[in-house]
């Protein structure tokens, strides 16, 4: 399954995704570097840039979900890429003219975050219509493997480019990657037939804003998967700032060692994403979801035991390798199940609700864990996140995902 051809149209879609993903990882943390090195911003301003922009962007993206749902998805994806590219190009342009400020970085962050949510929601619906149901897992596995490959290669290359040419250059490269992605999406071709809105004369209704959450929270299979994913991702990412403070502060790791500790384990993500289709074919989707979803929650607690020196660095790498490997198996299987369990006329709103919820969960838990770390210490905060993660597999109860159940049968599992 993992090696079968998925057609020319999917090839263009995958190519567009690859270009933009590598551009994004090359520019990883570029805004923070610009804020610190170019604009001489303080910690509070950098934190606001990291949190406020995506949060406001998520709020602005809310009404776009219902609007996009009943329109052709490819033009929306092209427009989102062009908006992201143009917004990011404004940064090097303003820098060259001597007018770059923190306010512009914040505005660009908001625009990019809103366009990103819109793109992700539209792309899920587009993929479901483009690829036969039996190929969805292979397609999602390829996207996942691309993500982890970019995560391995992008930050080191981007860091080298930022060191030699400045962080503004990596933002320009990211902007160009979105423009190339838009060109690739235009080459996909084909004709789309968007879902038809029933009732109310085809007009948007107030309830459309909540339809995605209504579907997620009333579906007996998606509900536990949704709640589990929001909580697990939030707790894992909430432990990251305390870990950075611990490793770069009291433990004395150099910045390059800290970066290496998270870059090298991303190779496990590439392996896991390639294994996912084979594991599903051999053991069944429900078992793979339950096993990989459970295992990915068991690693973070080990980060509370990190010590100085090579042994501590090896421990972080081993923990991250296990975590990323399990997550990379879980993610494409989850993405495939989510698409199959969602009717075509609700895919965009469901994915919008999922993404907005994840961003809100990460922001809230990160802020909470920052306070906890200030009160109890970084190591105690990491341990608390790890202990709570051990309880999250209790949410993984998906009775609709039986081994070998076809998509049509799985959708009938909804109430």
């Amino acid at each position: 399954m993992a090696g079968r051809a998925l057609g020319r149209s999917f090839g263009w879609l995958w190519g567009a995704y690859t270009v933009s993903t590598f551009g994004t990882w090359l520019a990883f943390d570029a805004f923070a570097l610009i804020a610190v090195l170019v604009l001489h911003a303080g910690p509070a301003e950098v934190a606001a840039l990291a949190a406020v922009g995506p949060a406001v962007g998520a709020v602005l993206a809310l009404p776009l979900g219902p609007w996009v749902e009943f329109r052709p998805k490819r033009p929306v994806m092209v427009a989102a890429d062009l908006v992201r590219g143009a917004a990011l190009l404004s940064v090097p342009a303003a820098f060259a003219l001597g007018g770059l400020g923190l306010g512009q970085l914040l505005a660009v962050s908001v625009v990019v975050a809103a366009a990103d949510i819109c793109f992700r929601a539209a792309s899920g619906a587009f993929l479901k219509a483009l690829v036969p149901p039996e190929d969805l897992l292979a397609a999602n596995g390829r996207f996942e493997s691309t993500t982890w490959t970019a995560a391995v290669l992008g930050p080191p290359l981007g860091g080298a480019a930022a060191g030699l040419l400045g962080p503004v250059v990596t933002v320009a490269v990211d902007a160009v990657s979105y423009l190339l992605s838009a060109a690739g999406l235009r080459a996909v071709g084909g004709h789309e037939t968007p879902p038809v809105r029933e009732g109310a004369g085809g007009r948007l209704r107030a309830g459309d804003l909540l339809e995605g959450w209504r579907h997620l929270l009333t579906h007996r299979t998606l509900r536990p998967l949704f709640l589990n994913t929001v909580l697990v991702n939030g707790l894992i990412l909430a432990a990251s700032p305390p870990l950075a403070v611990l490793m770069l502060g009291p433990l004395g790791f150099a910045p390059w060692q800290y970066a290496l500790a998270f870059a090298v384990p991303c190779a496990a993500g590439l392996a896991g994403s390639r294994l996912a289709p084979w594991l599903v074919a051999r053991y069944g989707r429900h078992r793979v979801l339950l096993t990989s979803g459970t295992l990915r929650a068991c690693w973070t607690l080990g980060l509370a035991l990190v010590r100085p020196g090579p042994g501590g660095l090896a421990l972080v790498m081993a923990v991250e390798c296990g975590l990323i490997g399990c997550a990379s198996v879980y993610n494409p299987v989850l993405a495939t199940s989510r698409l199959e369990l969602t009717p075509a006329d609700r895919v965009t709103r469901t994915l919008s609700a999922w993404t907005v919820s994840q961003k809100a969960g990460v922001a809230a838990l990160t802020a909470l864990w920052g306070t906890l770390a200030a009160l109890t210490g970084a190591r105690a905060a990491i341990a608390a996140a790890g202990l709570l993660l051990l309880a999250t597999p209790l949410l993984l109860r998906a009775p609709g995902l039986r081994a070998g159940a076809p998509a049509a049968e799985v959708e009938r599992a909804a109430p």
Side-chain angles (χ1 to χ4, degrees):
M1 176 186 288
R4 63 182 294 174
L6 299 183
R8 173 186 174 277
S9 294
F10 175 78
W12 279 111
L13 178 63
W14 189 17
Y17 177 83
T18 299
V19 170
S20 63
T21 301
F22 269 89
T24 298
W25 280 99
L26 279 169
F28 182 70
D29 270 353
F31 275 22
L33 290 175
I34 292 173
V36 173
L37 300 179
V38 177
L39 302 178
H40 308 292
E45 293 170 309
V46 175
L49 180 63
V52 175
V56 175
V59 172
L60 293 179
L62 274 176
L64 294 177
W67 182 83
V68 172
E69 188 78 81
F70 301 99
R71 285 163 176 78
K73 304 304 184 291
R74 187 161 60 98
V76 172
M77 295 161 65
V78 171
D81 270 343
L82 293 176
V83 167
R84 290 186 287 187
L88 289 169
L89 279 177
S90 73
V91 174
F95 176 76
L97 296 173
L100 182 62
L102 194 65
Q104 181 178 350
L105 289 183
L106 186 60
V108 170
S109 178
V110 169
V111 172
V112 170
D116 183 64
I117 292 173
C118 187
F119 182 93
R120 287 172 182 267
S123 64
F126 185 69
L127 179 66
K128 182 172 181 175
L130 181 70
V131 176
E134 63 272 16
D135 290 333
L136 272 177
L137 179 56
N140 281 312
R142 293 178 193 185
F143 288 141
E144 186 77 8
S145 64
T146 299
T147 298
W148 290 113
T149 302
V152 173
L153 301 177
L157 294 176
L164 292 173
L165 305 173
V168 175
V169 171
T170 61
V171 174
V173 172
D174 191 16
V176 172
S177 77
Y178 284 122
L179 302 182
L180 292 175
S181 173
L185 289 170
R186 286 183 60 85
V188 171
H191 173 73
E192 290 184 69
T193 304
V196 177
R197 184 188 300 277
E198 298 180 0
R203 297 189 304 272
L204 286 173
R205 298 167 302 216
D208 287 332
L209 289 173
L210 302 176
E211 183 58 38
W213 281 284
R214 186 179 297 115
H215 176 61
L216 289 171
L217 295 175
T218 58
H219 196 292
R220 66 190 181 110
T221 299
L222 282 177
R223 181 173 57 249
L225 295 174
F226 169 61
L227 296 176
N228 173 269
T229 301
V230 170
L231 187 56
V232 169
N233 289 353
L235 287 170
I236 288 173
L237 292 176
S240 295
L243 180 63
V245 170
L246 182 64
M247 291 183 68
L248 297 173
L251 299 184
F253 287 100
W256 69 267
Q257 292 176 308
Y258 176 77
L260 188 68
F262 296 96
V264 171
C266 289
L270 177 60
S273 60
R274 301 297 291 173
L275 277 174
W278 179 83
L279 291 172
V280 169
R282 183 174 178 84
Y283 298 107
R285 185 178 304 178
H286 181 263
R287 183 177 296 179
V288 172
L289 270 176
L290 185 60
T291 302
S292 60
T294 299
L295 290 176
R296 86 194 199 286
C298 297
W299 297 91
T300 299
L301 185 59
L303 295 174
L305 304 176
V306 62
R307 299 295 179 192
L313 189 64
L315 172 65
V316 175
M317 286 185 176
V319 169
E320 291 296 323
C321 187
L323 171 60
I324 291 173
C326 295
S328 65
V329 172
Y330 180 84
N331 289 341
V333 182
L334 172 68
T336 300
S337 302
R338 186 174 56 197
L339 287 176
E340 290 185 346
L341 289 163
T342 304
D345 63 349
R346 272 176 273 176
V347 171
T348 302
R349 286 170 290 177
T350 298
L351 295 182
S352 294
W354 191 292
T355 304
V356 169
S357 299
Q358 279 202 161
K359 288 182 179 293
V362 169
L365 287 172
T366 299
L368 180 60
W369 251 253
T371 304
L372 180 63
L375 294 174
T376 66
R379 199 181 295 275
I382 297 168
L387 288 171
L388 286 176
L389 278 165
L390 294 178
T392 57
L394 296 175
L395 290 170
L396 284 177
R397 295 293 179 266
L401 290 176
R402 298 184 301 278
E409 182 183 346
V410 170
E411 288 197 12
R412 288 197 294 271

